[in-house]
């Protein structure tokens, strides 16, 4: 019987001691695995966008499992990120044997209608449709007279409307012609036009291209006609300033023909009319021609339908709160209607027409000012009437949620872009911080669009705040803390904010036209870029001897081999082909005399600032440094 002592227990006994005994195996107990008893859905309907967190909860699996599947697909997301893409969500379902269908009922509800405005009108029974007035935009080169023409038309028609002075700012008006009314958009300029178009809003039926008859075709004339062509709108050319002596249509006809706009006068089909905003000559003709063109276009809408259209501009009004000018493009808008904008809603409190009168209804092609909105909708966004205020509110809230999901998505792509940029070693990109203020939403948008179009890889525009209204004290505080420049466009600085502006030394620019704003910002951008230094080699010297002087250190006795050395030059020391030092020259002497310049072939003594290591055989290359402004 083997002896069992403590050594056995510690395994110290060797087998040859004969006491080795096979350890009895413990009977294996069955490992108790925790059974996953979760019952997962095999079918699921989800709404998009959906966060990883919510999707995992619906699928009854851990978020980390979803994240890891996505990671393997090359998509890096976290718990609170949203998935927007149908295929990705279905792929995740497939991985966990769950069939996912996308529930679009809510999306349909948010969208209100899947028909575009044009389609909606097209699908309406013919007998319900009636002719509507054309909507006209004036475009053309700066100073060619767009604003003057709009003003002249407005004034000449004011008599017709007998409404007296119009003091309020409304972004459009209607004028009367013998062929019926015309709606004129009071936002001259292509920027506003393209800002609207970039949001998919096609509010214009006819573009009046204004060309000054004394100046001819300019850059923005060409730009405007290209935009009009792209938007496929009818174009009428108004050759303005016919009262001027050097008014000449021939160069304009020729110039426009180069762009495939052949004047009727030359047998083509582009209408061109001479006019003067100053004398009023040609204006009735212009309006008649617009009205006639619109007859050809057969513009129609259904006035017996719920209203739908586009926001022309919006602003905060001191007494009235949020105010917007809308262009009704189909249907009729009534006081009390519930309206959904992009992210806001309204129960229409008041409707004010273009001549400042309160009205109860407004039909197709009418510009109308409304109050009663939950927020300030942006120019170019669509509005649409729904059944109840409650529904309008719910839809706008859902849209905000969706928008936020979009933002997180946007942020992600932005981060990704930054990664890319870093890979390409575009680190430390400079940025110019701006705060934008404008009188109305329309001009704010136009300004923003134009500024964001400034193209450069060297500096980034960072607009930290943009809103409608005066430049306030808090804007100045914000500008100070964020080192931003304020751009106030068609607006004022609050009277008591001026002092703060001076005390805080905050830069505020108040451009009058967009192009001026763009130029100002470009200049600011250029100024924020570091200047580029350029070194230009001058004299080349060889060190022939080195002398020690107790007070000044080492003096290099040199011969100028090339060009000349100047006391104000900088210097490089080159030893065995390598630059070993670079800095200032502290003294330049010829035979103990301080000199300004030493020319080729001459000997001189050079002391280099804080460099004592000079040796015989070194080369001293003097050079000049110039600083250049960078271009964008
Ligand atoms: P916009 O930049 O195209 O809106 O141009 P404006 O309407 O501001 O006009 C620019 C300048 O041209 C102003 O000084 C106007 O007074 C002047 N102007 C506009 N139309 C006429 C015109 O028909 N005749 C003359 N003589 N001057 C005009």
């Amino acid at each position: 019987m083997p002896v069992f002592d403590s050594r056995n227990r510690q395994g110290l006994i060797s087998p040859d001691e004969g006491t080795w005994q096979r350890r009895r195996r413990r009977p294996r107990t069955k490992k108790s695995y925790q059974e996953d008893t979760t019952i997962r859905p095999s079918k699921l309907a989800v709404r998009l966008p959906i966060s990883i967190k919510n999707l995992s909860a619906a699928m009854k699996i851990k978020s980390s499992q979803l994240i890891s599947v996505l990671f393997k697909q090359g998509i890096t997301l976290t718990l609170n990120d949203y998935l927007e893409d149908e295929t990705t969500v279905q792929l995740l379902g497939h991985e966990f044997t769950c069939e996912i269908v996308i529930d679009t009922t809510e999306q349909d509800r948010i969208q209100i209608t899947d028909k575009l405005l044009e389609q909606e009108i097209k699908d309406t029974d013919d007998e319900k449709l009636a002719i509507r007035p054309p909507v006209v935009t004036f475009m053309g080169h700066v100073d060619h007279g767009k604003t003057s023409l709009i003003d002249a038309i407005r004034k000449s028609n004011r008599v017709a409307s007998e409404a007296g002075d119009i003091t309020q700012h409304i972004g459009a008006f209607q004028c009367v012609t013998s062929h019926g009314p015309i709606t004129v958009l009071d936002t001259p300029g292509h920027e506003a036009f393209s800002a609207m178009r970039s949001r998919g809003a096609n509010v214009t039926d006819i573009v009046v291209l204004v060309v000054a008859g004394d100046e001819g075709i300019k850059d923005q004339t060409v730009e405007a006609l290209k935009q009009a062509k792209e938007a496929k709108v009818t174009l009428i050319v108004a050759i303005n300033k016919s009262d001027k002596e050097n008014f000449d249509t021939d160069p304009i006809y020729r110039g426009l023909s180069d762009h495939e706009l052949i004047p009727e006068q030359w047998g083509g089909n582009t209408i061109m009319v001479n006019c003067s905003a100053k004398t009023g000559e040609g204006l009735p003709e212009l309006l008649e021609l617009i009205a006639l063109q619109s007859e050809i276009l057969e513009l129609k809408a259904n006035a017996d339908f719920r209203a739908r259209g586009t926001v022309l501009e919006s602003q905060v009004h001191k007494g009235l709160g949020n105010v917007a000018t809308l262009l009704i493009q189909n249907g009729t808008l009534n006081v009390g209607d519930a309206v959904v904008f992009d992210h806001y809603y309204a129960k229409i409190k008041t409707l004010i027409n273009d001549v400042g009168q309160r009205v109860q209804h407004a039909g197709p092609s009418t510009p109308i000012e409304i109050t009663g909105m939950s927020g300030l909708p942006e120019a170019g966004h669509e509005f649409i009437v729904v059944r109840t205020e409650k529904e309008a509110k719910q839809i706008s809230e859902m849209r905000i949620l969706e928008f936020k999901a979009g933002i997180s998505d946007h942020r992600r792509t932005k981060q990704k872009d930054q990664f890319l940029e870093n890979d390409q070693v575009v680190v430390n990109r400079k940025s110019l911080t701006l705060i934008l203020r404008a009188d109305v939403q329309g001009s704010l948008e136009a300004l923003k669009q134009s500024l964001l179009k400034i193209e450069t890889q060297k500096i980034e525009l960072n607009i930290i705040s943009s809103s409608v209204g005066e430049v306030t004290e808090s804007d100045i505080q914000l500008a100070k803390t964020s080192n931003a420049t304020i751009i106030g466009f068609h607006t004022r600085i609050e009277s008591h904010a001026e002092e703060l502006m001076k005390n805080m030394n905050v830069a505020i620019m108040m451009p009058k036209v967009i192009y001026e704003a763009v130029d100002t910002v470009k200049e600011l951008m250029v100024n924020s870029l570091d200047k580029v230094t350029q070194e230009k080699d001058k004299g080349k010297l060889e060190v022939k001897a080195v002398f020690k002087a107790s007070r000044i250190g080492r003096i290099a006795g040199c011969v100028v081999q090339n060009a000349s050395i100047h006391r104000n030059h900088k210097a490089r020391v080159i030893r065995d082909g390598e630059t070993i030092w670079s800095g200032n020259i502290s003294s330049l002497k010829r035979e103990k005399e301080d000199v300004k310049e030493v020319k080729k072939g001459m000997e001189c003594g050079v002391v280099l600032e804080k460099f004592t290591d000079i040796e015989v055989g070194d080369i001293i290359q003097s050079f000049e440094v110039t600083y250049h402004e960078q271009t964008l």
Side-chain angles (χ1 to χ4, degrees):
M1 175 109 183
V3 186
F4 186 84
D5 59 27
S6 65
R7 290 189 308 154
N8 285 72
R9 205 177 289 142
Q10 289 167 21
L12 296 174
I13 272 181
S14 62
D16 49 80
E17 277 184 67
T19 55
W20 181 80
Q21 195 187 18
R22 194 172 203 182
R23 246 191 181 181
R24 241 208 264 152
R25 276 211 181 162
R26 276 221 208 132
R28 203 190 258 182
T29 52
K30 260 194 189 164
K31 203 171 181 181
S32 60
Y33 287 106
Q34 240 186 354
E35 275 286 315
D36 184 357
T37 51
T38 320
I39 301 166
R40 301 209 172 94
S42 58
K43 266 191 172 178
L44 205 59
V46 299
R47 285 182 204 147
L48 292 183
I50 186 164
S51 67
I52 300 269
K53 197 167 150 187
N54 290 346
L55 181 63
S56 62
M59 289 170 74
K60 294 204 168 29
I61 55 168
K62 287 185 183 149
S63 312
S64 56
Q65 288 175 277
L66 288 187
I67 292 170
S68 106
V69 172
L70 287 169
F71 188 75
K72 282 178 201 150
Q73 301 289 327
I75 309 168
T76 321
L77 294 182
T78 60
L79 204 65
N80 292 320
D81 283 331
Y82 281 81
L83 294 163
E84 288 192 335
D85 176 42
E86 192 174 329
T87 333
T88 314
V89 172
Q90 283 172 339
L91 176 128
L92 285 173
H94 184 73
E95 281 290 318
F96 297 94
T97 52
C98 172
E99 189 192 330
I100 299 183
V101 287
I102 309 298
D103 178 3
T104 56
T105 49
E106 194 62 26
Q107 267 172 325
D108 293 346
R109 203 162 82 93
I110 295 175
Q111 212 182 338
I112 304 173
T113 166
D114 60 352
K115 281 187 190 168
L116 292 174
L117 199 97
E118 296 85 60
Q119 196 59 42
E120 178 176 297
I121 296 171
K122 222 174 173 182
D123 291 352
T124 310
D125 292 343
D126 240 4
E127 66 267 23
K128 287 186 185 160
L129 292 176
I131 292 285
R132 66 166 175 86
V135 182
V136 184
T137 305
F138 284 69
M139 293 169 80
H141 196 74
V142 66
D143 279 348
H144 278 200
K146 299 177 289 291
T147 320
S148 308
L149 277 174
I150 294 172
D151 279 352
I153 293 170
R154 198 201 276 262
K155 274 187 203 127
S156 65
N157 255 267
R158 201 173 287 176
V159 187
S161 68
E162 289 174 17
D165 265 355
I166 307 153
T167 45
Q168 84 212 77
H169 188 113
I170 171 159
F173 63 94
Q174 270 193 339
C175 58
V176 194
T177 75
S178 58
H179 290 268
I182 293 171
T183 302
V184 178
L185 293 192
D186 189 2
T187 43
H190 337 156
E191 305 295 344
F193 182 82
S194 42
M196 295 246 178
R197 278 199 7 102
S198 70
R199 299 228 169 81
N202 234 349
V203 288
T204 305
D205 302 307
I206 296 172
V207 162
V208 174
L209 180 65
V210 182
V211 189
D214 59 338
E215 284 197 35
I217 314 273
K218 293 274 156 127
D219 295 352
Q220 287 154 28
T221 319
V222 176
E223 191 186 310
L225 72 86
K226 277 187 186 156
Q227 286 188 355
K229 263 190 199 168
E230 231 172 72
K232 295 194 177 73
V233 290
T234 302
L235 194 116
I236 293 177
V237 181
I239 309 181
N240 190 32
K241 308 198 186 183
S242 64
D243 58 294
K244 285 205 163 179
E245 259 180 30
N246 48 349
F247 179 87
D248 188 5
T249 52
D250 263 9
I252 296 170
Y253 288 173
R254 272 199 303 278
L256 290 173
S257 301
D258 290 344
H259 294 277
E260 291 149 32
L261 294 180
I262 319 287
E264 271 188 332
Q265 289 83 338
W266 282 9
N269 46 20
T270 306
I271 301 168
M272 306 208 181
V273 54
N274 300 351
C275 61
S276 162
K278 196 171 172 190
T279 62
E281 190 203 327
L283 291 191
E285 287 84 347
L286 175 64
L287 294 179
E288 294 294 307
L289 284 167
I290 293 171
L292 275 171
Q293 275 302 302
S294 95
E295 272 180 18
I296 298 168
L297 290 172
E298 287 198 6
L299 305 165
K300 287 183 178 172
N302 176 9
D304 288 332
F305 198 41
R306 52 109 184 89
R308 179 176 182 181
T310 302
V311 179
L312 293 180
E313 59 184 30
S314 62
Q315 58 186 314
V316 185
H317 188 286
K318 271 199 176 137
L320 300 169
N322 296 327
V323 174
T325 305
L326 311 181
L327 176 74
I328 296 155
Q329 291 174 284
N330 196 25
T332 295
L333 187 65
N334 308 293
V335 171
D337 274 353
V339 182
V340 177
F341 298 91
D342 196 25
H343 295 151
Y344 304 108
Y345 68 97
K347 184 173 170 72
I348 307 275
K349 262 201 222 154
T350 54
L351 287 178
I352 297 167
N353 70 11
D354 55 339
V355 288
Q357 295 161 334
R358 273 190 171 216
V359 291
Q360 292 300 310
H361 324 279
S365 290
T366 317
I368 199 89
E369 194 178 80
I370 65 155
T371 59
M373 285 163 295
S374 63
L376 219 50
E378 284 182 41
H381 279 161
E382 195 186 54
F383 76 86
I384 190 160
V385 167
V386 293
R387 269 167 301 227
T388 60
E389 190 185 356
K390 192 175 157 203
E391 189 181 345
K393 187 174 178 207
Q394 277 175 353
I395 293 175
S396 71
E397 282 170 357
M398 282 302 295
R399 284 182 175 185
I400 289 175
L401 278 182
E402 216 182 32
F403 177 70
K404 283 187 179 154
I407 285 202
S408 70
D409 191 55
H410 171 73
R411 233 181 261 147
R412 263 200 317 274
T413 46
K414 212 171 164 195
Q415 276 166 2
K416 214 167 78 192
D417 289 351
Q418 275 166 1
F419 266 127
L420 273 181
E421 278 185 357
N422 287 344
D423 282 351
Q424 291 157 8
V425 206
V426 189
V427 262
N428 267 344
R429 205 167 140 200
K430 292 233 167 206
S431 77
L432 176 71
T433 310
L434 295 180
I435 294 172
L436 307 184
R437 294 288 172 265
D439 56 341
V440 288
Q441 192 68 35
S443 27
L444 182 70
E445 271 312 307
L447 174 70
K448 210 157 134 188
Q449 293 280 333
S450 318
L451 295 184
L452 291 174
K453 258 194 252 159
I454 302 176
E455 277 180 20
T456 170
Q457 287 294 312
K458 294 181 187 159
I459 180 160
E460 190 179 40
L461 261 196
N462 183 14
I463 300 172
I464 51 168
S465 161
S466 66
S467 67
V468 168
E470 293 180 342
V471 177
T472 62
E473 282 187 336
S474 59
D475 295 339
I476 293 169
Q477 306 272 16
L478 177 65
K480 185 75 194 168
T481 48
S482 48
N483 198 15
T485 304
I486 301 176
I487 309 282
F489 187 62
H490 288 179
T491 183
R492 298 185 315 133
I493 303 170
E494 242 182 16
S495 51
H496 49 279
E498 296 234 10
E499 206 178 311
L500 188 72
M501 174 189 107
K502 281 181 203 138
N503 290 343
M504 290 210 158
N505 202 13
V506 164
I508 304 188
M509 310 285 172
M510 306 290 277
K512 294 216 166 42
V513 285
I514 297 235
Y515 310 103
E516 191 189 331
V518 171
D519 286 348
T520 310
V521 170
K522 275 187 183 164
E523 206 179 312
L524 289 172
M525 287 166 112
V526 168
N527 292 342
S528 328
L529 294 174
D530 293 331
K531 296 224 165 41
V532 184
T533 52
Q534 197 181 21
E535 295 181 2
K536 200 167 176 197
D537 282 355
K538 294 287 177 179
K540 186 179 172 191
L541 293 77
E542 192 186 338
V543 181
K544 295 282 187 192
V546 175
F547 313 99
K548 281 184 194 157
S550 54
R551 268 185 296 133
I552 36 177
R554 288 187 155 212
I555 306 167
C558 314
V559 175
V560 183
Q561 291 184 330
N562 243 338
S564 67
I565 181 168
H566 199 282
R567 167 74 184 80
N568 293 335
H569 287 171
K570 292 190 174 287
R572 239 178 267 130
V573 175
I574 300 158
R575 186 174 296 163
D576 303 327
E578 266 184 53
T579 303
I580 55 164
W581 179 88
S582 175
N584 293 325
I585 297 169
S586 63
S587 93
L588 182 65
K589 286 180 194 287
R590 263 187 68 72
E591 308 196 348
K592 295 190 179 167
E593 287 293 309
D594 279 318
V595 289
K596 277 193 180 154
E597 192 181 15
V598 183
K599 294 204 164 116
K600 185 177 171 182
M602 290 177 162
E603 290 184 341
C604 61
V606 180
V607 180
L608 299 172
E609 200 176 272
K610 294 181 191 154
F611 184 68
T612 51
D613 192 26
I614 196 85
E615 283 178 11
V616 172
D618 286 346
I619 299 290
I620 297 178
Q621 174 70 59
S622 82
F623 61 93
E624 259 179 2
V625 180
T626 44
Y627 297 90
H628 299 279
E629 263 184 1
Q630 289 197 54
T631 49
L632 285 182

Short mmCIF file of all heavy atoms in Angstrom, two decimals, residues 564-584:
data_model
loop_
_atom_site.label_atom_id
_atom_site.label_comp_id
_atom_site.label_asym_id
_atom_site.label_seq_id
_atom_site.Cartn_x
_atom_site.Cartn_y
_atom_site.Cartn_z
N SER A 564 27.64 89.97 -55.64
CA SER A 564 28.13 90.81 -54.53
C SER A 564 27.36 90.49 -53.26
O SER A 564 26.25 89.94 -53.30
CB SER A 564 27.97 92.29 -54.90
OG SER A 564 26.60 92.60 -54.98
N ILE A 565 27.98 90.84 -52.14
CA ILE A 565 27.33 90.59 -50.86
C ILE A 565 26.94 91.95 -50.26
O ILE A 565 27.69 92.93 -50.37
CB ILE A 565 28.23 89.78 -49.90
CG1 ILE A 565 27.50 89.54 -48.57
CG2 ILE A 565 29.56 90.48 -49.65
CD1 ILE A 565 28.19 88.51 -47.68
N HIS A 566 25.75 91.99 -49.67
CA HIS A 566 25.24 93.23 -49.07
C HIS A 566 25.08 93.01 -47.58
O HIS A 566 24.77 91.91 -47.13
CB HIS A 566 23.89 93.56 -49.72
CG HIS A 566 23.50 94.99 -49.55
ND1 HIS A 566 22.98 95.47 -48.36
CD2 HIS A 566 23.58 96.06 -50.39
CE1 HIS A 566 22.73 96.76 -48.50
NE2 HIS A 566 23.10 97.15 -49.72
N ARG A 567 25.28 94.06 -46.81
CA ARG A 567 25.17 93.99 -45.35
C ARG A 567 23.79 93.47 -44.90
O ARG A 567 23.65 92.79 -43.90
CB ARG A 567 25.45 95.41 -44.83
CG ARG A 567 25.12 95.69 -43.41
CD ARG A 567 26.15 95.03 -42.51
NE ARG A 567 25.77 95.22 -41.13
CZ ARG A 567 24.86 94.50 -40.51
NH1 ARG A 567 24.25 93.53 -41.14
NH2 ARG A 567 24.57 94.73 -39.24
N ASN A 568 22.74 93.79 -45.70
CA ASN A 568 21.38 93.38 -45.32
C ASN A 568 21.00 91.98 -45.78
O ASN A 568 19.92 91.51 -45.48
CB ASN A 568 20.35 94.36 -45.88
CG ASN A 568 20.49 95.71 -45.22
OD1 ASN A 568 21.00 95.80 -44.09
ND2 ASN A 568 20.10 96.76 -45.92
N HIS A 569 21.92 91.34 -46.50
CA HIS A 569 21.59 89.98 -46.95
C HIS A 569 21.58 89.03 -45.77
O HIS A 569 22.14 89.31 -44.72
CB HIS A 569 22.66 89.48 -47.95
CG HIS A 569 22.56 90.12 -49.29
ND1 HIS A 569 23.52 89.94 -50.26
CD2 HIS A 569 21.63 90.94 -49.84
CE1 HIS A 569 23.19 90.62 -51.34
NE2 HIS A 569 22.03 91.24 -51.09
N LYS A 570 20.98 87.89 -46.00
CA LYS A 570 21.12 86.79 -45.06
C LYS A 570 22.21 85.89 -45.62
O LYS A 570 22.60 86.05 -46.79
CB LYS A 570 19.80 86.02 -44.92
CG LYS A 570 18.73 86.87 -44.23
CD LYS A 570 17.53 86.06 -43.89
CE LYS A 570 16.54 86.84 -43.10
NZ LYS A 570 16.93 87.09 -41.71
N ALA A 571 22.68 84.93 -44.80
CA ALA A 571 23.77 84.09 -45.30
C ALA A 571 23.60 82.63 -44.92
O ALA A 571 22.93 82.31 -43.93
CB ALA A 571 25.09 84.60 -44.77
N ARG A 572 24.16 81.79 -45.77
CA ARG A 572 24.17 80.35 -45.54
C ARG A 572 25.64 79.94 -45.50
O ARG A 572 26.43 80.46 -46.30
CB ARG A 572 23.55 79.67 -46.75
CG ARG A 572 22.34 78.84 -46.47
CD ARG A 572 21.80 78.28 -47.77
NE ARG A 572 20.77 79.14 -48.34
CZ ARG A 572 20.75 79.55 -49.59
NH1 ARG A 572 21.74 79.22 -50.42
NH2 ARG A 572 19.78 80.30 -50.03
N VAL A 573 26.02 79.03 -44.60
CA VAL A 573 27.39 78.52 -44.63
C VAL A 573 27.35 77.12 -45.22
O VAL A 573 26.59 76.27 -44.74
CB VAL A 573 28.02 78.51 -43.22
CG1 VAL A 573 29.40 77.86 -43.26
CG2 VAL A 573 28.11 79.91 -42.66
N ILE A 574 28.13 76.92 -46.28
CA ILE A 574 28.13 75.61 -46.94
C ILE A 574 29.49 74.96 -46.75
O ILE A 574 30.54 75.58 -47.02
CB ILE A 574 27.81 75.76 -48.45
CG1 ILE A 574 26.42 76.43 -48.59
CG2 ILE A 574 27.82 74.42 -49.17
CD1 ILE A 574 26.21 77.10 -49.91
N ARG A 575 29.47 73.78 -46.18
CA ARG A 575 30.74 73.04 -45.97
C ARG A 575 30.59 71.67 -46.63
O ARG A 575 29.58 70.99 -46.38
CB ARG A 575 30.99 72.90 -44.47
CG ARG A 575 32.33 72.29 -44.13
CD ARG A 575 32.58 72.31 -42.63
NE ARG A 575 32.65 73.67 -42.09
CZ ARG A 575 32.54 73.94 -40.80
NH1 ARG A 575 32.35 72.97 -39.92
NH2 ARG A 575 32.60 75.19 -40.37
N ASP A 576 31.52 71.29 -47.44
CA ASP A 576 31.47 70.02 -48.19
C ASP A 576 30.12 69.83 -48.89
O ASP A 576 29.49 68.77 -48.83
CB ASP A 576 31.72 68.82 -47.25
CG ASP A 576 33.05 68.96 -46.54
OD1 ASP A 576 33.98 69.53 -47.16
OD2 ASP A 576 33.15 68.54 -45.36
N GLY A 577 29.63 70.90 -49.46
CA GLY A 577 28.38 70.82 -50.24
C GLY A 577 27.11 70.85 -49.41
O GLY A 577 26.02 70.81 -49.94
N GLU A 578 27.25 70.90 -48.10
CA GLU A 578 26.05 70.89 -47.26
C GLU A 578 25.89 72.19 -46.50
O GLU A 578 26.89 72.71 -45.97
CB GLU A 578 26.15 69.75 -46.24
CG GLU A 578 25.50 68.49 -46.72
CD GLU A 578 25.55 67.42 -45.65
OE1 GLU A 578 25.11 67.72 -44.53
OE2 GLU A 578 26.05 66.33 -45.96
N THR A 579 24.65 72.67 -46.42
CA THR A 579 24.41 73.88 -45.64
C THR A 579 24.47 73.52 -44.16
O THR A 579 23.71 72.67 -43.70
CB THR A 579 23.03 74.47 -45.99
OG1 THR A 579 23.00 74.71 -47.39
CG2 THR A 579 22.75 75.75 -45.23
N ILE A 580 25.37 74.17 -43.42
CA ILE A 580 25.47 73.81 -42.01
C ILE A 580 24.92 74.92 -41.11
O ILE A 580 24.70 74.72 -39.92
CB ILE A 580 26.93 73.48 -41.59
CG1 ILE A 580 27.86 74.65 -41.94
CG2 ILE A 580 27.42 72.19 -42.23
CD1 ILE A 580 29.19 74.57 -41.22
N TRP A 581 24.64 76.06 -41.69
CA TRP A 581 24.10 77.15 -40.89
C TRP A 581 23.44 78.17 -41.80
O TRP A 581 23.80 78.32 -42.97
CB TRP A 581 25.24 77.82 -40.09
CG TRP A 581 24.80 78.99 -39.25
CD1 TRP A 581 24.33 78.93 -37.98
CD2 TRP A 581 24.79 80.37 -39.63
NE1 TRP A 581 24.01 80.18 -37.53
CE2 TRP A 581 24.28 81.10 -38.51
CE3 TRP A 581 25.14 81.07 -40.78
CZ2 TRP A 581 24.12 82.48 -38.53
CZ3 TRP A 581 24.98 82.46 -40.79
CH2 TRP A 581 24.48 83.15 -39.67
N SER A 582 22.47 78.88 -41.25
CA SER A 582 21.81 79.92 -42.02
C SER A 582 21.35 81.00 -41.04
O SER A 582 20.85 80.70 -39.97
CB SER A 582 20.63 79.30 -42.76
OG SER A 582 19.91 80.29 -43.40
N GLY A 583 21.58 82.27 -41.36
CA GLY A 583 21.19 83.33 -40.43
C GLY A 583 21.58 84.70 -40.94
O GLY A 583 21.75 84.90 -42.16
N ASN A 584 21.72 85.64 -40.00
CA ASN A 584 22.00 87.03 -40.38
C ASN A 584 23.49 87.32 -40.41
O ASN A 584 24.28 86.67 -39.71
CB ASN A 584 21.36 87.98 -39.37
CG ASN A 584 19.85 87.91 -39.47
OD1 ASN A 584 19.30 87.72 -40.54
ND2 ASN A 584 19.20 88.03 -38.32
#
